[in-house]
Amino acid sequence: MSNHEEHHEADFALHAPYNEHVALMGNWNDWEPIPMERGDDGWWRVSVPLPDGDYQYKFQVKSKSYFSEGEMVTIADPRSLVVSDDFENTLITVKNGERVITNYEWKHDDQPLPGNMDLVIYELHVQDFSGGPGDVREGALGRFRHTIEKLDYLVELGINAIELMPVSEFPGEHGWGYNPRYLFAVEKSYGTPDDLCALVDECHARGIRVILDGVYNHSEVATPLAQIDHNYWYHGQPMDAPDQQWGPKFNYEFHDDQLGFWPARQFALDAILHWVTHFHIDGIRFDATAIIRNYDVLSWLNSAIYQHIGGAKPFITIAEHVPQDPSVTGIDGPLDAAWHEHFSKQIMATMCGQPQEGRDPYNLDALIGVIDPLRDGFASAQNVIKYIDNHDQERIMWQLGEAGFVDDAAFRRMKMGAAILLTVPGIPMIWMGQEFGESAPHTQERQPIDWALLQNERNTDLQHTYRGLIALRKNTPALRTDTFDVVHLDQERCIMAYKRWNDEGQVVVVVANLQDDFAGEVQIPNWPGDGTWHEYVHDYDIEAGGGTLTDTLAESEVKVYIKAG
């Protein structure tokens, strides 16, 4: 270090309002504790003269937690952006006395992004999206930069939003991220904070929004807040069923009367705004809102997010609320949209032709009841995220095999499900690999998707079907409205027809043979308009007359008829 090198005061702070001792320890002075002072706001602070460079630090705290009361513990900063490999220390870069969050220079903030009702969401897990069989990086652990390499694939498919499974720091080299230890930190095995910025920016360059999966019900057991003062941040007793106790549970009901604020609520909000501000994300999917069980908190977080954004960009807040409860969305609900679990369960039963969780596969009234969000209790189509399967479910292709649908029959059922998913009211979501028939059984072990499947004609054909149906949805305004009406139900032959439309006179009718039996000629009465219609899937024109359309349907076939106004 030069004698002339300038030292700036770098600030360090920890919120621990009722702890008796907090000190800073850093590698710049061989980890010798530096006393900190507590302010009236409950924050302990100290400034240290540091030249520009990279450093590690942690805090020494006299614990108030019930399991280590009065003991000295050392913890990384609960608001760490990057932590050391052993999770013990916080890593920072200091420049002119300020810590550097990212060095990334944003290039595509001015790109227009799709509104919420225009979204076609692709849920992906960074580690498993790349590196699988048939991938150019076969065997490599998926990272943010590898996801960037696949963005053009998603553009070609027609995707305009990705939902990333959690990317905040969790212990271990592989995981899904639902056990976060540091809510502000970027998972090291995925890449650096700058790498995540680059992924978001490259998505925006292509008109793709980025929705982040956020875990705000609980923390991983060794999270720093739990070691500082467990019951200040978390419930002291288990609040949930044994199979839902995933770690310390945030106590959003606790109000610090002395300081006049809600500690856990503020911490969750600060974490969310951290991702919005520094990583420019376009939405949050709230994990496990049914066991957060507090609409006031969700509403408060939602309002604060939108106040922060100030209408500068489209944004969406999504609830994973299971069991389903439409009241988590809508005019009076706290969040914008919710996963449409009833639709998923019913469409999986229908596709597999077998009862599933009490759902009859060929009960057309039940199917219609979950296709239409309004009949299922939601205020609008914009309040539901429709999906067939997701990371929590067995893949639908695997389920089809278990149900006895194999080879061509399985792919017919996959196409049928895709056609319904992409033509019904709501915002559609696809689980990575679903579009080409990934069929691996459900596991939390490392399981990168099998890109080699695209060397098979059936898989590629399914992918092309998805691509065509996504294009249809994006190019057909009637499919992005609340409108839905039943045209015809034939319970005996298991054929249904439903209509979508808009105020500009566009009408779409979808006709589906829900059984894997050849239907042959079908007559659909109550047809909404005589004259020429265009069938989209097979690209031909057909005449309707006398209020009836007559056509043919093969096994599991869905046809889509469009009449322009």
Side-chain angles (χ1 to χ4, degrees), residues 7-15 22-25 28 34-37 43-53 55-59 77 79-80 90-101:
H7 290 58
H8 296 272
E9 293 280 322
D11 297 328
F12 296 86
L14 179 71
H15 192 251
V22 177
L24 173 69
M25 302 170 69
W28 56 83
I34 301 170
M36 301 177 73
E37 286 193 20
W43 283 84
W44 296 74
R45 296 181 178 86
V46 69
S47 296
V48 180
L50 291 176
D52 293 353
Y55 299 96
Q56 296 191 31
Y57 74 91
K58 57 189 169 188
F59 296 111
D77 192 332
R79 295 171 181 248
S80 298
T90 301
L91 276 56
I92 57 165
T93 298
V94 173
K95 189 171 184 180
N96 297 328
E98 300 289 331
R99 64 181 68 199
V100 176
I101 303 297

Side-chain angles (χ1 to χ4, degrees), residues 164-392:
L164 298 176
M165 287 169 64
V167 300
S168 53
E169 188 68 77
F170 56 85
E173 274 301 296
H174 174 76
W176 282 0
Y178 294 103
N179 57 335
R181 189 177 290 182
Y182 295 95
L183 275 186
F184 291 71
V186 177
E187 170 58 36
K188 288 186 300 298
S189 67
Y190 294 177
T192 67
D194 279 12
D195 291 339
L196 177 56
C197 290
L199 171 57
V200 176
D201 206 24
E202 288 298 323
C203 282
H204 290 169
R206 294 161 174 81
I208 296 174
R209 282 171 56 181
V210 179
I211 300 164
L212 211 58
D213 209 337
V215 182
Y216 304 109
N217 172 71
H218 61 277
S219 301
E220 192 266 343
V221 66
T223 191
L225 293 181
Q227 298 180 66
I228 298 170
D229 189 350
H230 183 285
N231 289 8
Y232 186 74
W233 305 96
Y234 302 102
H235 287 284
Q237 299 296 323
M239 303 291 293
D240 301 311
D243 63 344
Q244 295 177 331
Q245 292 172 21
W246 301 309
K249 182 182 178 74
F250 280 113
N251 185 355
Y252 292 123
E253 283 76 42
F254 172 66
H255 185 265
D256 184 334
D257 294 337
Q258 189 167 325
L259 294 179
F261 87 124
W262 308 82
R265 298 185 189 196
Q266 191 63 48
F267 187 79
L269 176 61
D270 289 352
I272 292 169
L273 297 186
H274 166 78
W275 297 101
V276 173
T277 301
H278 298 296
F279 298 98
H280 298 203
I281 63 165
D282 313 294
I284 291 277
R285 178 266 201 187
F286 288 83
D287 183 64
T289 53
I291 63 169
I292 291 177
R293 284 197 296 263
N294 192 316
Y295 282 9
D296 287 345
V297 171
L298 294 174
S299 183
W300 182 78
L301 291 171
N302 195 61
S303 297
I305 292 167
Y306 278 103
Q307 188 174 354
H308 177 83
I309 294 168
K313 61 189 281 188
F315 200 86
I316 190 167
T317 55
I318 301 168
E320 183 227 12
H321 204 88
V322 180
Q324 179 179 302
D325 182 352
S327 67
V328 77
T329 71
I331 297 169
D332 298 321
L335 301 180
D336 297 332
W339 279 16
H340 197 176
E341 184 77 356
H342 288 180
F343 173 81
S344 171
K345 295 303 185 196
Q346 181 63 55
I347 196 69
M348 285 195 289
T350 299
M351 290 172 69
C352 292
Q354 291 184 340
Q356 183 164 312
E357 297 188 26
R359 297 190 175 273
D360 179 342
Y362 299 126
N363 182 330
L364 299 189
D365 289 332
L367 180 57
I368 291 296
V370 296
I371 282 178
D372 183 5
L374 277 62
R375 297 178 201 223
D376 202 29
F378 290 91
S380 167
Q382 67 187 0
N383 299 135
V384 297
I385 307 297
K386 286 282 213 302
Y387 56 93
I388 297 171
D389 55 7
N390 60 45
H391 70 269
D392 275 333

Side-chain angles (χ1 to χ4, degrees), residues 129 131 188 334 404 408 529 535:
F129 187 48
K188 288 186 300 298
D408 286 343
E535 201 288 308

